[in-house]
Every structure is written in structure tokens, then in C-alpha cells.
Amino acid sequence: MVAGFLEPLLADGVARQGSQSGWLAQVRTRALEQLIRDGLPGPRNEAWKYTSLRAIGQRRYARSDPAAATRPIDANLLDLPGVEGPRLVFINGGFRADLSIIADVPGMELRSLSDVLEAEPDSLREFLSRSFDNAEDAFARLNTVLASDGVVIRVAAGARIVPPVHLVIAGAVAEKELAWQLRCIFDIGEGAALRLVEHHVGENGHGHFGNVLSQLALRANARLDLLQVQNGAETASLTRRTEALLDAGAHLEMRSIEVGAQWMRHDLAVRLNGDRSRFVSRGVFALRGRQHADTRLDIRHSARDTACDIVWRGVADQRARGVFHGAITVESGADGSDAQLSNKNLLLSDQAEIDTQPVLEIHADEVKAAHGATVGQLDEGALFYLRSRGIGPAQARSLLTLAFCRVAFDSIENGVLREYLDALMLERLPQAADGDSQTKSSQ
């Protein structure tokens, strides 16, 4: 499936290869050749079994250019209550220095990818030379070929960065529907600590396709607290891949909230590569209308005494569809690993659908592991209890659904930010008319 979606983008990629040289050009050429050979994954590809690319594959997006990145945008979209500190803003895939707030924080380097590529590209070779050899990684290959901007954050060994870094990835209305690529690199030094907020927003009315590839390296005993809030435009499409490599004693804690975009895919690949490294994930997707969201986790324990603790929730209303695939692999030699995964889901409509698939594969001894998944509806007894105390049907449903979803962010210490996320979730839950009709249909 090369025609349509990929054709104009690959033509641009081919044109660019002639003006490049060196190791980066070789990496991009290899990715381009793989894309031309394999195209986009089809329905027979197991990793894309529940998410069709047919509609996207038939569309012809224009590649985002510098003019598209300078489009005006409502500044209020870029703010996140309770988050103050350095901020980097990208509009339609391009860096916007005029909207960013880059403070001089000792121990941290904060730069745009385009700046680093121009000044010292070899410093990124460890990240950019990563190969994607599977046909299912088509969008990672596309990002490798075309991404020319993004963010590079490096934290020096032992540095403790207190203010959270706010990364804003926004879509603005343009003359054409655009396809933009963004590459994000986060290198957390030995014993260092960083808090990061990845914030996806967009103006309604644009149908852009965003492709974000993030690479995280946590050196020995480093810690990264990452909050991902995906509230993109309701007409947009977005694919993201987050890769994390954890050295000995490193700790990655991720909270992910997925409520925006018409079509969304998020691949999260984490390798616990050092002894005693730990990964904690709390996430939720809340869908309505005809939204489609596909979340795919691939967690690999490669060292001794590693641990992962994963809890995800899913909610689908109206004709929305959610997909969750949570795979944990304990490789040979990773003795003493502790792997826990739980995925619970709510269907708020007879026409909504959620497909969930937990997978656990163990090749080591002395392992503690458990996984499970459920798909159900709101508890009628709890609804009756709230109704009997004078709470209306729509409000009762919203309160119970919010309580179900809050596992993704109720441990956030920032009260202002937590209240904002509460309000965001309530906004995504059924409105009064929907709640009344749903309650009637279940009686």
C-alpha cells in the first residue's frame, strides 16, 4: 500500500536523498527503501489486525513546510494549568521559538532537533541510527526518512530538574491537509531526574496527520516522570511511537491520557535492560462518536530483578472503538522479574467496541507475573445507589465513569493539574442527553 498516502511523501523523501551524505543519509536511505518495498501494513499484519489503514492510505497529504509551522494559533490552547517552567512548542511539526519559553536550567540542555542536526549531528547517532526492520514499523520508518525537527533534551549526570518541562505538539488549520513528522530525543544522565509533560492539542477543523517518534534513554539510576496528555483536534489523525531503554536501577513512570484525535495509534516499547530497573504505567483512553484509538504495549524484561506495573483503563461510547494490546516478555536470564498488567474497560453504548489482548511470555525462572483484562458496563447497583440519593442519571454515569478513569492520574501531586484533568475527562464523558438515553436503553 504505497499509493495515496505515501506516494507524495516518499517522492519528497527521494528528492531529499540526493542532497545528503554521511551516516544519517545512509540511515534515511535504508528506511526509504524499506518503505517503498513494504508500504503500509495491511490487515494480515498481526500488529495492525484491529486498526485498518485503508482510509488513511487513500488520502493524499501534503508534507508540512516552514510556512505551515508559522500558522497563527490560539495561545490559550498551549497552556496547561499547573504546569510552569520551560516550554517548547511545535506547530504542524515545526518549532516555534516565539511561542516557546526556553529558560537556562543548570544541568539540562534543551534544544530543537533541527538546531542539533545542523551543529552536531554525530551526537545523535545513537538515537537516529536506530533501524526498524519490521513491516509493522512503517510510520517509524517514515519518521526516519522525513523528520527534520523535534526536541532534544539532555540531563547531565546527577542533575535534578525541578520545574517540569512542557512539550506542546499542536496542529493548526492550514490551506491543505498536512502530514508532519516529529522526532523527540530524551537522554537522562546517570542518577539524574526529570519531569516531562507531553501535551498534544489542536484547532478543530484541520485533518492533519501527525507522526511522532520519541526515544528515551535512562542511564543508571536515572528517573523520568512522564505525563502524556493527548487532546488533539477531533478531526485529526495521530500516530505515536514511544521507545524507552532503561539501564540498571533506572525508573520510568508514565501516565497517559488519550481523549483527542479522530484516529489514534500509540506504540509503547520499553526494554528493562539493566538490573533492578522499573517501569510504571498508568493510562486511560476515553472515546466517543466514531473515534478509534489503538494502544499497543511491548514491555521486555532483559535483566535480573526488574519490575513493571501496568494499569490501563478504556472507555468507549456511541460508535467508538478502542484497541488495547499489552505484551510482557520476560527473557531468558531475567530471573527475579516482577511483571503485573491489568486492563479494564467500559462500554457505554451497545454500538461501542473495545478489543483487549493481554499477553505474557516467560523464559526465566523465579518470576512473579500476572495479567488480566475485562470488558463490561457500569454497575447497575452503583447507579441505583446514586440515583436514590437524588443524583440525575447523566451525572451518576459521569461520576462513576470518572472514578473508573482516575487511576491514570489520581496519584499526580499537582492539585491544579489534577483538577484540570478531572474536568477534561468529564468533558469527554456522555452529555446529559446521551446519559438519559443510555439509561433508558438499559432498563
Side-chain angles (χ1 to χ4, degrees):
M1 191 190 300
V2 175
F5 175 82
L6 286 178
E7 194 172 74
L9 302 178
L10 292 188
D12 180 75
V14 170
R16 292 177 55 189
Q17 300 312 309
S19 61
Q20 299 178 347
S21 61
W23 64 266
L24 183 55
Q26 295 175 2
V27 169
R28 286 178 164 162
T29 298
R30 182 174 68 247
L32 178 63
E33 292 171 347
Q34 292 171 328
L35 261 179
I36 294 173
R37 182 191 66 205
D38 297 333
L40 298 180
R44 294 186 178 181
N45 189 304
E46 184 65 26
W48 290 87
K49 180 178 179 181
Y50 298 102
T51 298
S52 174
L53 291 171
R54 182 182 301 274
I56 290 177
Q58 293 174 346
R59 301 180 70 173
R60 297 178 68 89
Y61 294 92
R63 182 172 177 267
S64 186
D65 56 27
T70 59
R71 299 287 299 183
I73 192 169
D74 182 0
N76 292 324
L77 280 176
L78 311 180
D79 295 330
L80 196 58
V83 178
E84 298 179 358
R87 182 176 77 179
L88 288 94
V89 177
F90 293 84
I91 307 294
N92 296 342
F95 178 58
R96 287 289 295 272
D98 58 316
L99 299 174
S100 300
I101 304 172
I102 302 180
D104 186 12
V105 179
M108 180 175 68
E109 179 184 359
L110 195 64
R111 301 168 67 183
S112 68
L113 176 68
S114 56
D115 178 40
V116 180
L117 284 177
E118 182 177 354
E120 44 180 306
D122 287 347
S123 68
L124 300 178
R125 188 165 185 166
E126 172 188 351
F127 298 93
L128 299 184
S129 61
R130 164 84 163 87
S131 61
F132 300 96
D133 297 324
N134 298 319
E136 65 192 52
D137 298 330
F139 292 107
R141 293 172 176 175
L142 183 64
N143 188 284
T144 298
V145 173
L146 294 180
S148 59
D149 215 344
V151 60
V152 176
I153 297 179
R154 298 186 179 109
V155 181
R160 300 277 169 164
I161 309 302
V162 176
V165 176
H166 186 192
L167 172 61
V168 183
I169 301 172
V173 175
E175 287 80 5
K176 301 178 180 179
E177 291 187 349
L178 307 172
W180 50 263
Q181 324 291 320
L182 205 66
R183 191 69 164 253
C184 304
I185 296 173
F186 310 102
D187 192 351
I188 317 301
E190 183 175 348
L194 175 69
R195 288 185 296 162
L196 176 67
V197 179
E198 180 184 321
H199 186 198
H200 296 261
V201 293
E203 292 180 327
N204 286 327
H206 81 74
H208 304 332
F209 182 93
N211 181 13
V212 183
L213 174 55
S214 299
Q215 295 173 288
L216 289 61
L218 278 68
R219 311 302 178 177
N221 300 312
R223 180 182 178 104
L224 175 62
D225 290 277
L226 174 59
L227 170 64
Q228 298 176 319
V229 181
Q230 193 278 107
N231 188 26
E234 295 180 356
T235 50
S237 299
L238 178 65
T239 179
R240 295 148 60 205
R241 181 180 178 90
T242 304
E243 295 186 339
L245 181 64
L246 279 63
D247 289 344
H251 185 147
L252 172 60
E253 186 153 343
M254 289 184 62
R255 299 177 181 88
S256 304
I257 299 169
E258 310 281 1
V259 296
Q262 179 67 23
W263 182 96
M264 186 277 296
R265 164 86 174 210
H266 187 191
D267 288 272
L268 173 59
V270 178
R271 178 173 287 275
L272 302 169
N273 208 42
D275 294 350
R276 304 175 310 283
S277 54
R278 179 177 176 82
F279 172 60
V280 177
S281 176
R282 297 289 183 267
V284 62
F285 59 80
L287 312 174
R288 64 185 182 186
R290 290 181 174 269
Q291 280 185 290
H292 180 100
D294 186 344
T295 301
R296 187 175 183 88
L297 276 61
D298 180 10
I299 316 303
R300 296 185 175 270
H301 294 252
S302 303
R304 292 185 58 92
D305 303 316
T306 53
C308 72
D309 180 8
I310 302 167
V311 178
W312 269 74
R313 298 285 188 264
V315 177
D317 192 19
Q318 299 169 334
R319 301 185 67 178
R321 184 179 187 185
V323 180
F324 179 86
H325 175 91
I328 299 176
T329 303
V330 182
E331 298 178 349
S332 177
D335 298 342
S337 294
D338 185 350
Q340 307 292 324
L341 183 148
S342 171
N343 174 234
K344 296 181 179 180
N345 303 277
L346 280 179
L347 294 175
L348 302 181
S349 164
D350 293 339
Q351 295 179 305
E353 181 179 348
I354 294 180
D355 300 287
T356 178
Q357 184 182 28
V359 179
L360 184 59
E361 189 175 335
I362 300 175
H363 302 278
D365 299 323
E366 302 177 9
V367 171
K368 180 180 178 182
H371 71 302
T374 62
V375 179
Q377 298 175 324
L378 288 173
D379 185 274
E380 291 295 334
L383 280 171
F384 177 79
Y385 176 84
L386 294 177
R387 295 288 305 278
S388 68
R389 276 144 182 80
I391 299 176
Q395 186 180 9
R397 290 170 59 82
S398 292
L399 288 174
L400 289 176
T401 309
L402 176 61
F404 178 80
C405 295
R406 289 195 68 188
V407 67
F409 55 88
D410 61 0
S411 61
I412 293 177
E413 297 178 357
N414 187 324
V416 175
L417 178 58
R418 192 171 59 248
E419 289 178 4
Y420 166 80
L421 296 176
D422 268 345
L424 177 62
M425 294 303 301
L426 283 171
E427 179 185 336
R428 303 298 303 181
L429 298 179
Q431 304 301 309
D434 296 328
D436 292 339
S437 64
Q438 293 292 340
T439 302
K440 291 176 183 177
S441 67
S442 64
Q443 292 177 346

